[in-house]
Amino acid sequence: MITAANPGPNRALAHPKDFILLLEGVNKAFEGFKAITDLNFALDEGELRIIIGPNGAGKSTMLDIITGRTRPDTGRVEFGRDTDLTKLNEYQINRLGIGRKFQTPSVYIDHTVFENIWLSLEGSRTVWSTLFSRISPAQRDRIQEVLKTVGLTDKANSKAGLLSHGQKQWLEIGMLLAQNPKVLLVDEPAAGMTDEETHKTGELLHSLEGKHTIVVIEHDMTFVRQLARKVTVLHQGHVLCEGSVDEVQNNERVIEVYLGRKKKA
Ligand code: ADP
Ligand code: MG
């Protein structure tokens, strides 16, 4: 019987507080180069978290580890109460509800915006089977809802290849949302965007908060300020500090890492 005194095998994974995602003591080396070193990271459900850090800090590798693209050498990577992600492959992790958006948008350029979302809906499989099947009213409603969320309603019938860079990024976020993920990992969404597109992206991410747990990797500090949520600073594969935007911007070690000098007294 599983009791508090005899918690059973799964309790080994449980923590005093339940996080939706937890990394503990994670290490990863590539041919001797330590990309991730003793990384600890925890996310609350519904949170919008920003990760910053210099180039090569290990930000993308951290997402690779969460999504099963890269296996950690050591450490725990857990989803929810008792799912050990290090035992699962990329596909299985995605099916659990962890969606990732890479830096460069990858959309079906010869299909319309509407079709792109349709192809991404939960349960949709191949381009062939989707586009030659009949769309249900429920699917149509869901697609319209996603298009509205990402601000592409009036582009529904445009070929995705004709969208601006920013619009392609939103479409790809929409394609992720169509799968209704619990956790959304977004790598540098504002890279290459105009200021106006960047601002709209911030509004989009805020609108998703609470409905999904979101991790945003970013280095545009204006954008980070707009998001105004807890920031984790990665440096050399390790968390250097965590806190509000102001706290991390005034942190001596962060200033040293970013600017290569000590803060003036
Ligand atoms: P960031 O996203 O913070 O800029 P990355 O996570 O992409 O940093 O990279 C961290 C370090 O790990 C870099 O030095 C990078 O060259 C190295 N790295 C990442 N992935 C691999 C890989 N698959 N093979 C070899 N080295 C890698
Ligand atoms: Mg990166």
Side-chain angles (χ1 to χ4, degrees), residues 28-31 33-36 52-64 70 103 187-188 217 234 237:
K28 177 69 191 178
F30 295 106
E31 288 155 18
F33 174 78
K34 291 181 177 173
I36 297 290
I52 64 171
N55 267 337
K59 304 179 298 294
S60 298
T61 305
M62 176 177 157
L63 298 195
D64 290 343
T70 295
Q103 244 167 289
D187 204 345
E188 299 197 23
I217 292 181
L234 271 196

Side-chain angles (χ1 to χ4, degrees), residues 18 28 31 53 61 72 84 94 103 115 126 161 172 194 233 239:
D18 284 329
K28 177 69 191 178
E31 288 155 18
T61 305
D84 178 355
N94 181 258
Q103 244 167 289
E115 286 165 346
T126 63
E172 210 188 343
T194 63
V233 185
V239 174

Side-chain angles (χ1 to χ4, degrees), residues 196-209:
E196 196 191 337
E197 287 174 334
T198 301
H199 189 78
K200 273 186 158 178
T201 304
E203 288 176 344
L204 168 58
L205 292 171
H206 277 158
S207 79
L208 302 176
E209 205 174 5

